[in-house]
Amino acid sequence: MFENLSQRLQDVFGKLTGKGRLSEADIDAAMREVRVALLEADVNFLVVKDFVARVRERALGTDVLRSMTPGQTVIKIVLDELTSLMGAGESKLAFSGRFPNVIMLVGLQGSGKTTAAAKLANLLRKQGRRPLMVACDVYRPAAIDQLESLGRELGIPVYRGVEGADPVDIAKAGVKAAVADMRDTVIVDTAGRLHVDETMMGEAALIRDAVRPDQVLMVIDAMTGQDAVTAATAFAERVDFDGVIVTKLDGDSRGGAALSVRAVTGKPIKFIGVGEKLDALEPFHPDRMAQRILGMGDMVSLIERAQSTVAAEDAAELEKKLRSSELTLDDFLQQLQQVRKMGSLKDVLGMIPGMGAAQRAQVANADVDEKALDRTQAIIQSMSAQERRKPALINGHRRVRIARGSGTSVQEVNRLLEQFAQMKKMMKQMGKMKGKGRGMPQMPF
Amino acid sequence: MSPSWLDRLSGGLARTREQLGDRIAELVGRGPEVGEGFWDGLEETLIAADMGAGPASAITAALKSRSRREDLPDAAAVEVALVDLIAAQMPVHPDPLAESPLTVLFVGINGTGKTTSVGKIAAEAAGAGRNVVIGSADTYRAAAIEQLRVWADRASVPIVERERGADPASVVFDTLAVARENGSDLVLVDTAGRLHNSADLMQELAKVQRVARAQSVFPVKSLLVIDATTGQNGIAQARAFHDALELDGIILTKLDGTARGGIAVAIATQLGLPIVRIGVGESLEDLRPFDATEFARALILGR
Ligand SMILES: Nc1nc2c(ncn2[C@@H]2O[C@H](COP(=O)(O)OP(=O)(O)OP(=O)(O)O)[C@@H](O)[C@H]2O)c(=O)[nH]1
Ligand SMILES: [Mg+2]
């Protein structure tokens, strides 16, 4: 369903191999893929329009047209632009010298404000602050009980007004209670409200005016679609928030809404919610979000490393061979050496896009034995040029010779040849599936 | 970020709010020669409604070829054709909630409106003279039980609950026992919000369903509660819940905002599931039956 952008671009540019140079029309075809990828990630269509125009301009102005790996070059541009659109660096909460500092949370119904309030209180306490939470959602049944219960769980006090009190008064009284209790940070949880609800938006503005928060944060559900910007724009106009908390990022949504809100309102994303537990609130990293939107692993570092170590032509040639069945042990040796230049195998495997969480964990646990790589290299280097091209030639006698020459055993030589044959078979299948294949083939080292 | 970029964008947003009707009038005004601009605008309107890039372009293409063949005479004809096209995609089913006796599980990701919908449907059914009992199988979220208790109160129906942290399946067990004693014909079960990519929690839900099936002679139906603001991830959500439970329908909530709920069209069409009710507010009575034509019209024209 959601193919990632690199696969899509591979398909686009894959059709072009042998044609030599790319044309402007080829770039346009790539831009159509970029557009669809962003729309499927729920980036607002107006943001997409503008974004694609800018990327196209940059792509035409750079070496994409001459590049041997145009797909990767385009992705690099897309990622750079997405990341810069998302804001530079990670953004921290700015505290003032005022006592107490007040943080107010606003947002649509069901976006996760109450949970976010508790998570934020928990995080700030870990940073040495003394938070108090104020429960101003008098509308949703048991919303106040919910915050109180979370506060109890954390051992952080919650101020709740008297029965029937108005949210504005509760907020004011809550700040007073914080002063009395020597609490330096107040987190005000408010009711979920629709941006088109005049009365409720007016109330949010009144609460803001009453407690003059140092920070107003809008809580946005990562699953939100195209309408995220409409809501955020209205909240920006009526309550003027300072930053965003994106929730439910432990789901598998691409989270394009976050990008859209940042792009349209200019407000930075401060935190992301990544679980139901009260410690599942993390600082925001623009680069990771950009990769998520495109459905990729840590592509940038991988591409950057590949660019600095592998000559583009070699890489393209090798990829072609990998996809066909012409792969020889020579190519394999070359690949092995290049991969090792890029860093430890574990690192490299971890950065490959399209790997699921489970595979990632596997790689993390797999203790790739770098010594075994040395031995693999030695075995291949002990073969004759003819043997490397045609491993079928390697009979029992030759195996003994190779084992001796490389200081390994016949069993090890056998294993390598067997795994190489298997890998070739898998590569051939992957070539047929054309980018659909997800699993990593078992490398013979 | 440059101000010009922001200006352009907010200008664009204002244009989106412009009704499609204007575009259709524009089309007709230009005579039989329909410019690409109109069709692009139409496609964008559908994308902005969260229909998804693929379906939006398919519908636009279909209408485009139809407009050539049938020479749609006026704005009203184009509008009707588009509404028909979308409405015709929606599967038609008899109302699954009309069945009696019946047990219904309300499922979905966090915060979509499950608990509120249980309350609204309890009130609707009790108002129609059915004997309803509510079970609170969200034993995970803080104050979820208290919240449902308020809704049971508002709808004047009994609620069955256990302490927070109890096995949700055991609550269903208890609820069905109470239903038998009370001679109830409708059992509504609220469940905890959960992300569809959490395998453990989806298994837990499947167990709740198994227990419900084993403990009662009532048929057990599962309704997915989806928030109208949901984007393209809604399809993954629906698929995962459908895989775990074999859903019987969708409740689409929060249509009182500006989100059009186009993702529900994609879900309904792809999974063949009916939209059973729509939520249009936070009060007991803010629940409506689903009408495909009305919905399609609101989707493209706004309300
Ligand atoms: N405007 C509007 N708000 C709604 C609608 N349905 C539910 N809500 C609100 O959405 C919020 C979440 O609703 P709940 O019923 O608690 O959602 P839930 O799915 O039970 O949430 P969890 O149990 O926490 O996963 C509440 O503030 C509801 O008042 C609707 O149709 N329109
Ligand atoms: Mg609930």
Side-chain angles (χ1 to χ4, degrees):
Chain A
M1 168 63 212
F2 288 124
E3 264 181 298
N4 80 36
L5 185 62
S6 61
Q7 286 164 342
R8 284 190 158 136
L9 291 179
Q10 226 160 54
D11 283 352
V12 171
F13 292 123
K15 291 174 202 130
L16 305 171
T17 41
K19 221 169 101 181
R21 288 198 164 197
L22 302 181
S23 67
E24 211 172 311
D26 298 330
I27 295 291
D28 284 339
M31 289 308 118
R32 275 195 290 281
E33 296 302 327
V34 172
R35 173 180 175 268
V36 172
L38 294 177
L39 287 174
E40 282 185 356
D42 291 318
V43 179
N44 183 272
F45 74 98
L46 289 166
V47 177
V48 172
K49 233 181 183 171
D50 213 279
F51 181 83
V52 170
R54 261 185 308 158
V55 170
R56 183 177 185 275
E57 213 169 289
R58 241 189 94 179
L60 287 172
T62 51
D63 353 305
V64 177
L65 296 183
R66 262 166 287 117
S67 170
M68 291 298 292
T69 51
Q72 293 192 347
T73 314
V74 170
I75 286 173
K76 181 115 181 27
I77 296 174
V78 171
L79 271 172
D80 283 354
E81 289 283 330
L82 269 188
T83 308
S84 75
L85 197 55
M86 207 95 65
E90 70 176 70
S91 25
K92 283 209 165 120
L93 273 190
F95 287 104
S96 70
R98 178 179 160 213
F99 182 89
N101 262 245
V102 178
I103 300 167
M104 173 178 169
L105 302 187
V106 297
L108 298 173
Q109 289 97 337
S111 54
K113 287 172 297 304
T114 307
T115 313
K119 286 178 180 173
L120 189 58
N122 189 27
L123 186 81
L124 294 179
R125 183 178 56 183
K126 276 188 199 147
Q127 294 172 3
R129 304 194 68 95
R130 280 168 54 80
L132 170 130
M133 298 188 277
V134 183
C136 287
D137 181 358
V138 300
Y139 305 100
R140 210 203 69 197
I144 296 175
D145 296 339
Q146 185 186 351
L147 190 66
E148 212 165 38
S149 162
L150 295 174
R152 214 176 305 123
E153 234 166 88
L154 290 170
I156 292 174
V158 172
Y159 178 83
R160 67 184 291 167
V162 291
E163 194 63 38
D166 170 84
V168 180
D169 296 332
I170 298 175
K172 270 196 280 193
V175 175
K176 274 200 199 118
V179 174
D181 194 25
M182 293 297 288
R183 297 273 152 185
D184 59 9
T185 310
V186 178
I187 297 170
V188 181
D189 182 27
T190 65
R193 63 201 74 224
L194 281 176
H195 52 289
V196 287
D197 186 333
E198 262 313 304
T199 326
M200 288 299 284
M201 291 303 278
E203 180 200 79
L206 284 176
I207 298 177
R208 180 203 58 202
D209 294 344
V211 298
R212 289 183 297 106
D214 298 273
Q215 293 272 321
V216 180
L217 300 179
M218 179 166 181
V219 180
I220 294 174
D221 185 331
M223 319 269 181
T224 318
Q226 295 286 323
D227 206 46
V229 296
T230 319
T233 309
F235 273 93
E237 276 166 17
R238 292 298 305 267
V239 236
D240 190 21
F241 60 91
D242 303 286
V244 173
I245 299 179
V246 181
T247 61
K248 306 179 201 173
L249 270 170
D250 46 329
D252 56 4
S253 76
R254 291 281 166 87
L259 169 76
S260 309
V261 168
R262 172 66 175 79
V264 172
T265 64
K267 310 291 186 194
I269 298 162
K270 302 268 187 183
F271 297 103
I272 59 172
V274 292
E276 288 193 77
K277 299 254 158 57
L278 295 178
D279 56 3
L281 189 74
E282 293 179 357
F284 172 72
H285 296 281
D287 48 342
R288 290 185 203 159
M289 194 69 208
Q291 287 152 24
R292 180 187 178 109
I293 287 173
L294 299 176
M296 305 175 149
D298 193 359
M299 278 297 288
V300 208
S301 350
L302 185 61
I303 291 168
E304 272 166 5
R305 286 202 217 177
Q307 275 173 345
S308 60
T309 49
V310 184
E313 278 163 78
D314 290 354
E317 187 60 24
L318 184 65
E319 193 189 326
K320 220 170 87 192
K321 281 189 178 163
L322 279 175
R323 290 213 174 267
S324 70
S325 50
E326 303 159 27
L327 191 74
T328 68
L329 277 162
D330 259 331
D331 299 325
F332 179 63
L333 181 63
Q334 188 200 350
Q335 184 198 23
L336 181 59
Q337 284 163 343
Q338 278 173 353
V339 165
R340 297 191 78 187
K341 263 194 274 171
M342 286 163 66
S344 93
L345 197 61
K346 209 158 128 181
D347 281 359
V348 175
L349 288 177
M351 287 186 293
I352 292 175
M355 281 226 280
Q359 284 160 309
R360 249 175 235 288
Q362 237 177 11
V363 169
N365 293 333
D367 213 355
V368 181
D369 185 356
E370 301 278 337
K371 275 219 187 79
L373 296 184
D374 291 338
R375 299 164 83 84
T376 302
Q377 221 162 301
I379 293 176
I380 301 176
Q381 276 159 347
S382 301
M383 296 174 184
S384 70
Q386 210 189 10
E387 285 167 345
R388 291 186 209 177
R389 266 194 311 275
K390 245 185 139 195
L393 290 176
I394 308 175
N395 57 19
H397 281 303
R398 293 184 189 224
R399 288 179 198 215
V400 175
R401 191 205 77 230
I402 293 166
R404 214 176 288 138
S406 57
T408 60
S409 67
V410 176
Q411 283 94 322
E412 278 174 280
V413 176
N414 286 345
R415 203 170 58 219
L416 172 71
L417 288 172
E418 223 169 82
Q419 287 174 330
F420 177 72
Q422 253 178 25
M423 182 175 93
K424 242 176 111 165
K425 219 163 82 193
M426 280 180 86
M427 288 294 184
K428 218 162 136 185
Q429 279 166 356
M430 274 182 48
K432 278 191 203 127
M433 293 195 295
K434 265 207 96 191
K436 266 192 215 138
R438 286 224 142 200
M440 281 290 300
Q442 187 71 46
M443 297 290 196
F445 41 70
Chain B
M1 196 163 311
S2 67
S4 65
W5 152 246
L6 271 179
D7 286 350
R8 234 176 317 145
L9 213 53
S10 41
L13 281 175
R15 276 197 305 282
T16 346
R17 290 192 207 107
E18 206 176 89
Q19 299 216 321
L20 179 67
D22 297 344
R23 289 196 176 117
I24 292 172
E26 205 180 302
L27 152 77
V28 175
R30 284 200 210 126
E33 207 66 43
V34 180
E36 277 307 307
F38 171 81
W39 298 112
D40 286 350
L42 175 58
E43 191 180 335
E44 278 182 356
T45 307
L46 297 175
I47 289 172
D50 289 317
M51 297 268 301
S57 98
I59 289 176
T60 306
L63 198 68
K64 200 168 163 182
S65 80
R66 199 164 141 188
S67 84
R68 281 202 208 100
R69 274 186 283 117
E70 296 174 21
D71 193 22
L72 299 165
D74 52 24
V78 179
E79 187 189 306
V80 168
L82 181 55
V83 168
D84 279 356
L85 206 65
I86 294 171
Q89 288 191 359
M90 314 293 295
V92 205
H93 287 261
D95 181 2
L97 286 172
E99 232 171 275
S100 181
L102 182 67
T103 296
V104 188
L105 307 180
F106 291 73
V107 303
I109 69 154
N110 315 71
T112 55
K114 293 173 293 299
T115 307
T116 309
S117 298
V118 168
K120 290 174 179 176
I121 287 173
E124 179 196 87
R130 294 183 73 169
N131 187 338
V132 185
V133 59
I134 289 179
S136 175
D138 180 357
T139 56
Y140 181 79
R141 209 206 68 197
I145 301 168
E146 290 83 346
Q147 183 186 358
L148 189 64
R149 218 182 274 151
V150 174
W151 282 107
D153 224 46
R154 289 180 181 169
S156 312
V157 302
I159 177 171
V160 177
E161 53 179 71
R162 278 200 178 194
E163 73 289 350
R164 191 171 166 209
D167 178 6
S170 73
V171 181
V172 173
F173 188 93
D174 291 356
T175 311
L176 290 167
V178 170
R180 267 192 301 276
E181 277 167 38
N182 288 7
S184 307
D185 57 21
L186 183 62
V187 180
L188 304 176
V189 179
D190 186 24
T191 67
R194 66 199 73 221
L195 290 179
H196 55 287
N197 58 343
S198 155
D200 290 355
L201 295 180
M202 294 306 277
Q203 268 163 27
E204 178 193 86
L205 203 54
K207 181 182 161 198
V208 167
Q209 188 187 50
R210 273 198 306 277
V211 169
R213 291 212 163 118
Q215 285 309 311
S216 156
V217 291
F218 291 14
V220 177
K221 306 225 160 177
S222 303
L223 299 181
L224 178 71
V225 182
I226 283 257
D227 180 330
T229 59
T230 311
Q232 297 309 301
N233 188 249
I235 296 178
Q237 291 173 29
R239 280 238 162 84
F241 279 97
H242 198 42
D243 283 350
L245 302 171
E246 285 196 33
L247 297 170
D248 298 281
I250 298 164
I251 294 177
L252 184 61
T253 62
K254 307 186 195 173
L255 272 169
D256 45 330
T258 49
R260 304 282 171 86
I263 192 64
V265 178
I267 296 171
T269 314
Q270 287 185 28
L271 300 185
L273 293 171
I275 297 176
V276 172
R277 294 286 187 283
I278 59 173
V280 292
E282 299 186 85
S283 309
L284 206 60
E285 64 279 2
D286 292 330
L287 183 75
R288 305 265 183 282
F290 175 76
D291 178 298
T293 305
E294 209 177 275
F295 178 76
R297 190 171 296 132
L299 191 82
I300 55 172
L301 298 176
R303 246 149 275 260

